[in-house]
């Protein structure tokens, strides 16, 4: 009943973006990163992607993905073993599937001429490896080249990449909306050790969400930042102690998001990628990549700095505050405010740009997209205000 | 389906007291004790009262209560901080609410002239402190003075009060019915260390439930107690060893219950108050107060005696047996017996006296109330007997 | 919703055996083993059998079973005590029931003439002890002699019996079907230490399920075993290293199953009984008996061998692999293959032989039963193949 209520109210609030609203399990027809290459060997691993159970296994250097369920007795194939080259064998009765095609090739316990061979096959998933990461395609349309779904920056040579993955509580959209959200950083993260020496604005004006030139990213263009202001009842806020001014230090240089849920957050000398992969209704897989162009000693120093500092102060400290909020968030209902234009623009972007839409809807964003997104926000804000009144 | 069955049968069994039956989340329009004053400082605390999430916070000596949900993104306000006097700020985006009115006063991250101020307010709850306890009002009617819902004894000066609170398994009605239940003490508690030297009856005759003079309490008037009897198949029961007779010691002197779920249990020299506060459907908050009129050295000795003896032997030992039963209890169905007149009278009391009833039903108890309650019990017993037959 | 889907598809797949399909909580009108006699003393123990809560208690050498719920306030009688001979007393109000009849004989807290005596009785369950095991009857029909439901071998004198019980995840049918399943042993168990020195076939031909002469058991008659074969893409399988040939060692000599879920697995010099007792929808009680005909020193040596070797290498190692699969299994849907004739024959057996069927259906298996079972399998396999197609 709780669920029923929730769905009902969700509909009324997010009604402006029905495709986004329906994407509880993510957008299909995309390549998703799910593991680091180093995490996968010959031992099968089970993941959940867009609600589907998938077993991944490496054979002779390549990675394969199959539906993680033997049709015979419903046992996960990830309990089995890659016992013969190119084949995955179910632990229970030795049903043996071709890794590339999913065809039931051999049934060990029923003899060489088992009549069921070829008649109980399992679905396969396209898998690729790039940038030290395993990418899996989920969808019904023929997959595009994996490069199409990977930020070009990550495909360069001479990169040094650190990072980690974690299955976390919260629908993937909570995490993505928190990632692109313009407003929270200047309050929530003010107490993070990461920002101690950075000057953060009190508020900003005229932030716009604009498509990147290649049409892949939705970039957040900062407007005018006000670093201190005088508020009613509160007076001057925030305090800006002198050490906060060091290096004029902004928290990020460039920030953007792209489908199906990848954030780039350019820092001085390195980039932070945050990728939110739909797991099931209530969980997402978070993948974090800390990337720099470096080789040799500089690469080594970057790795050291990541492991001793960034990993803890940025990803556990600063980013851990986001995780805390994502776990607590419960929408709908919601009540939007001005900085949420970054969120509504992202919703509009998904609504219009996500693969699988009807041709009309999937049109490329026009030049006045930022204006359109702002108009969309105004409509949404009005809608949530109405909801509030009805609920009150 | 289990739930469906349960509700259905509940209806048929407790059909005599429909308002009581419906009060799964307690009776509204009452002041409820929820914390000790000493437990609450400037750090917000989240409670659940009658199924509603409430954040409590102390500011300049006063305690305030607000709905524990920021309308913006659904994050609990109890994650936030009382950062500015008279205001509570949400941890996520710095939405800042007036503690007294719930009005959204300032939105730090949207500048001094944020247009959403005053448009996304949260509900407030009346809060008072008396007798070292924080009382919160839940309901739709205008609240009466808090003193109306606090036992007068607790409002006296020169009291020494000890106690503790605990969220426990079981609907609040299970706990309240166990508290007023006349029958169980003489069997269940016979093995408690607390009763080792007290003489407890085998059974009693003519117990009556009568309203107190001020109409606030429903008092249990003990009838004739039989301390030992001869039973078929068992013979003499209970054994009454000589040490049980010491001090003629009854377990209580005076016992009564009042809405919305407060028990007084007068002991020699002190009183035990047990208050069952509706939390959610399956949990209640139990508050125990050990109260005596004493100051100076006598107060100190009482505190010492409470902490070394009463806390463990009475509240953990004796009362822990009640908690065990409350956690196990599953009604309906139920099958009433004679001593349950104490329970059915309490149900009838709630049915007729609880605030919010229609004027006719809420009439003051007449003088022959005890007789009416007994008649009600007979009807209920017959009803449960019928149920038994149908179920068999 | 998950449940709804599951039931729906279950119906379509197992539609050939509707009675078996409906037996989620087991077949009623049978004696079930639930405990070892040595596990039960005067302290009441609560079990769940076919979804019913039952309290077992020993009094003057005999074991009694009652519905584990006091009708008064719904407290489990297993919280109570056998305080008086022949009686069980509820912990809460001292309602005291006759162990043999379930009649409410005495209500301690309501005096010797409590009018409710005899009016709130609880259901009793027939209980017997044989072979060191407590057997409980659940059903509506008058119980047959317990000996009818106990394998005759277990009723012999001079037996030495070891074993253990465990409540495990998974519906009882998953466990029973795994037990009689012909196919999995030669793949799943190949890696168990128990089989290191035993030669196991690659596959077999012409396995038949035939009723035993007394009509009690459904025996698995091994066909021709092929110990090594040449498979496409794999070549020779399995490796048959010389040490596997030692003693020509088969994994079992004789294997059969009987209602309501008892497997006999005859080994050299001892028998392994595996009994799967329905607990609730998602759990079964597994009872394992290691039995040999021996007394004196030979009995002692058997016990030693069991405790140091069989308990760990057979029951934890070999049988633990089965438990792993039973916990993972999720059917329907399912997709049958040739060796599953052992499973479909068992389903057909239950369908036709389980007590409580209509007279026609419960006819004794005819002489061509094995042929009929094979035909049943072919029909079922075709049905699951169709399902596969529809699902694809």
């Amino acid at each position: 009943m709780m669920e029923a209520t929730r769905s009902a109210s969700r509909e009324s609030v997010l009604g402006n973006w029905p495709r986004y609203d329906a994407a509880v399990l993510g957008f299909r027809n995309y390549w998703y990163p799910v593991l680091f290459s180093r995490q996968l060997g010959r031992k099968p691993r089970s993941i959940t992607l867009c609600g589907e159970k998938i077993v991944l296994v490496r054979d002779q250097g390549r990675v394969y993905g199959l539906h993680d369920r033997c049709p015979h007795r419903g046992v996960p194939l990830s309990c089995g073993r890659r016992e013969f080259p190119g084949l995955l064998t179910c632990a229970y009765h030795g049903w043996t599937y071709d890794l590339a095609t999913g065809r039931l090739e051999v049934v060990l316990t029923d003899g060489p001429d088992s009549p069921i061979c070829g008649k109980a096959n399992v679905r396969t998933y396209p898998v690729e490896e790039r940038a030290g990461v395993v990418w899996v395609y989920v969808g019904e349309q023929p997959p595009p080249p994996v490069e199409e779904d990977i930020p070009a920056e990550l495909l360069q040579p001479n990169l040094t990449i650190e990072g980690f993955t974690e299955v976390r509580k919260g629908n993937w959209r909570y995490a993505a909306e928190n990632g692109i959200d313009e407003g929270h950083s200047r309050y929530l993260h003010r107490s993070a050790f990461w920002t101690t020496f950075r000057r953060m604005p009190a508020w900003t004006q005229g932030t716009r969400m604009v498509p990147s030139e290649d049409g892949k990213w939705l970039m957040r263009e900062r407007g005018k930042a006000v670093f201190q202001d005088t508020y009613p009842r509160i007076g001057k806020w925030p305090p800006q102690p002198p050490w906060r001014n060091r290096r004029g230090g902004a928290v990020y240089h460039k920030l953007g998001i792209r489908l199906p849920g990848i954030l780039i957050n350019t820092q001085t000398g390195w980039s932070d990628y945050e990728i939110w992969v739909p797991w099931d209704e209530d969980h997402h897989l978070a993948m974090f990549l800390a990337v720099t162009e470096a080789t040799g000693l500089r690469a080594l120093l970057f790795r050291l700095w990541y492991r001793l500092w960034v990993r803890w102060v940025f990803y556990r400290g600063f980013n851990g505050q986001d995780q805390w909020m994502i776990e607590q968030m419960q929408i709908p209902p919601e009540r939007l405010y001005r900085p949420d234009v970054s969120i509504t623009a992202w919703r509009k972007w998904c609504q219009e740009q996500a693969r699988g839409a009807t041709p009309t809807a999937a049109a490329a964003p026009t030049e006045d997209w930022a204006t359109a997104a702002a108009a969309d926000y105004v409509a949404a804000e009005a809608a949530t205000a109405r909801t509030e009144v009805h609920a009150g």
Side-chain angles (χ1 to χ4, degrees), chain A residues 119-175:
Chain A
K119 290 187 196 150
N121 310 323
V122 297
R123 175 172 191 173
T124 58
Y125 292 82
V127 182
E128 295 285 354
E129 287 181 279
R130 294 291 185 284
V133 167
V134 178
W135 303 76
V136 178
Y137 181 81
V138 171
E140 288 66 39
Q141 302 177 5
V146 67
E147 287 79 8
E148 200 144 308
D149 287 351
I150 304 182
E153 300 84 338
L154 284 178
L155 295 169
Q156 298 170 84
N158 299 333
L159 287 189
T160 300
I161 302 180
E162 287 282 342
F164 66 103
T165 64
E166 220 170 62
V167 178
R168 292 181 171 180
K169 226 189 110 200
N171 187 271
W172 76 276
R173 289 173 303 194
Y174 289 176

Side-chain angles (χ1 to χ4, degrees), chain A residues 203-223:
Chain A
W203 61 287
T204 64
Q205 212 165 17
T207 296
R208 297 168 70 229
M209 300 294 288
V210 288
S212 64
E213 275 184 33
D214 63 1
K216 293 276 192 187
W217 295 90
L218 183 60
M219 304 303 295
R220 202 163 84 196
E221 278 194 1
R222 217 184 324 218

Side-chain angles (χ1 to χ4, degrees), chain A residues 178-223:
Chain A
N178 173 80
I180 194 61
D181 173 26
E182 197 239 335
H184 77 270
S185 192
R186 41 194 191 251
Y187 185 74
L188 176 68
H189 294 315
R190 193 170 295 274
S191 60
F193 193 63
W194 183 258
T195 66
T196 305
F197 301 108
R198 295 167 208 263
R199 202 161 65 121
M200 300 171 80
W203 61 287
T204 64
Q205 212 165 17
T207 296
R208 297 168 70 229
M209 300 294 288
V210 288
S212 64
E213 275 184 33
D214 63 1
K216 293 276 192 187
W217 295 90
L218 183 60
M219 304 303 295
R220 202 163 84 196
E221 278 194 1
R222 217 184 324 218

Side-chain angles (χ1 to χ4, degrees), chain A residues 358-380:
Chain A
T358 52
T360 327
T366 56
E367 273 175 43
D368 58 351
W369 197 88
T371 318
D376 228 45
Y377 159 73
V378 172

